[in-house]
Amino acid sequence: MPAPTPEPAPASVPDIYDPAFVAGLFDRCAANYRWWSAISSFGFTRTWRRQCVALLPPTGPGATVIDLMAGTGELWPHLLRRFPGLASITALDISRNMHLHAVDRLHRTRASRITHIEADALTTDLPEARADLLVAAFGLKTFTPAQQATLARQVARLLKPGGHFALIEASDPHGWALRPLYRAYIDHALPLIERLFLRGAQDFTMLGPYTRNFRDCTHMAEALHNEGLTVTFHRHFFGCATSVSGHKPA
Ligand SMILES: C[S@@+](CC[C@H](N)C(=O)[O-])C[C@H]1O[C@@H](n2cnc3c(N)ncnc32)[C@H](O)[C@@H]1O
């Protein structure tokens, strides 16, 4: 009897929550990230960033800010407008290309107030109690619930006592009557547009699975609360984005 043919090895499935995978994904997206996020969201991302920064209370001159998952620095104009006396922004991101685009193309004139750190937010050893304010826009969805708990520990560690945070993320608006339309746009229309206009790329397409799995900021809110922070949960535009804000008790 002939020997049975061995089964072909299953193609390895990438772990989309592996920080190395996420860094690679954003390295590839960096050149197009800014215009793609603005246009594909019909300008909503800009509004949501402004609303995220508005969740922070007025702060005197000399405040220090940490921007986690800073990307190309889309939050900085909002931060500098709301807090003109800011001493510094520490921009942390795992993707080298996102940093390079931020520095080279977008924020040269603001460079003196911005420190770039290429690091994993989950494991960064930035000194504790460093920030008066901590922000993150659209950087939560690539974390599993367990990673969100680790991130919450970092937020609590990095904030000074009395310091405030605001984090926002695109979410899956369960319960909204137009959710099927929203999902069809994210899961089918955007991937098609990306394939057509970005020469077959399928990177921004990952927004679909990430937002579906992330759902909203509920878990992040619980994780931050478990770290002893006060937390308020917010919904934006029928839950298409959700955010959490609060502070570390003094
Ligand atoms: C969707 S972009 C958001 C960029 C920017 N904050 C904005 O408002 O558009 C998400 C960013 O999170 C970064 N990121 C993802 N996981 C990270 C991690 N573990 N540590 C640091 N940065 C991370 C990615 O490299 C990417 O630049």
Side-chain angles (χ1 to χ4, degrees), residues 40-247:
S40 66
S41 73
F42 301 104
F44 271 101
T45 47
R46 189 181 150 77
T47 304
W48 289 335
R49 286 189 194 101
R50 183 175 46 72
Q51 291 176 344
C52 174
V53 169
L55 294 171
L56 297 166
T59 305
T64 52
V65 183
I66 292 181
D67 181 8
L68 291 179
M69 289 75 74
T72 49
E74 307 304 315
L75 266 180
W76 309 337
H78 301 281
L79 284 166
L80 292 168
R81 205 171 303 128
R82 177 152 165 76
F83 306 108
L86 278 187
S88 66
I89 298 175
T90 300
L92 187 142
D93 200 284
I94 200 168
S95 157
R96 167 161 305 191
N97 287 352
M98 291 294 265
H99 279 298
L100 290 178
H101 275 269
V103 180
D104 287 353
R105 306 225 358 242
L106 306 174
H107 301 288
R108 211 182 277 276
T109 55
R110 307 181 176 104
S112 61
R113 283 205 272 177
I114 295 163
T115 305
H116 291 266
I117 299 185
E118 185 186 332
D120 182 345
L122 303 176
T123 54
T124 176
D125 59 0
L126 270 177
E128 67 177 83
R130 182 183 169 119
D132 297 293
L133 303 171
L134 185 147
V135 288
F138 311 119
L140 301 179
K141 64 186 160 300
T142 49
F143 293 125
T144 63
Q147 289 171 324
Q148 288 174 47
T150 305
L151 187 73
R153 217 167 302 135
Q154 289 283 31
V155 172
R157 192 180 74 76
L158 292 170
L159 275 176
K160 292 180 184 172
H164 286 256
F165 65 89
L167 322 174
I168 193 163
E169 186 51 276
S171 302
D172 193 340
H174 280 265
W176 184 34
L178 296 185
R179 176 176 179 264
L181 216 59
Y182 172 88
R183 286 263 42 123
Y185 176 65
I186 294 206
D187 295 331
H188 303 294
L190 281 183
L192 185 66
I193 296 169
E194 183 179 14
R195 273 201 301 278
L196 290 177
F197 288 96
L198 297 181
R199 282 174 282 148
Q202 296 206 331
D203 294 320
F204 291 104
T205 296
M206 292 303 295
L207 182 64
Y210 281 129
T211 51
R212 207 173 320 107
N213 296 347
F214 175 73
R215 201 166 165 140
D216 63 26
C217 283
T218 304
H219 185 80
M220 194 65 206
E222 278 168 23
L224 291 162
H225 177 75
N226 291 342
E227 294 302 323
L229 305 178
T230 67
V231 184
T232 308
F233 181 92
H234 316 264
R235 293 164 75 79
H236 307 258
F237 197 72
F238 303 100
C240 294
T242 55
S243 62
V244 279
S245 65
H247 73 280

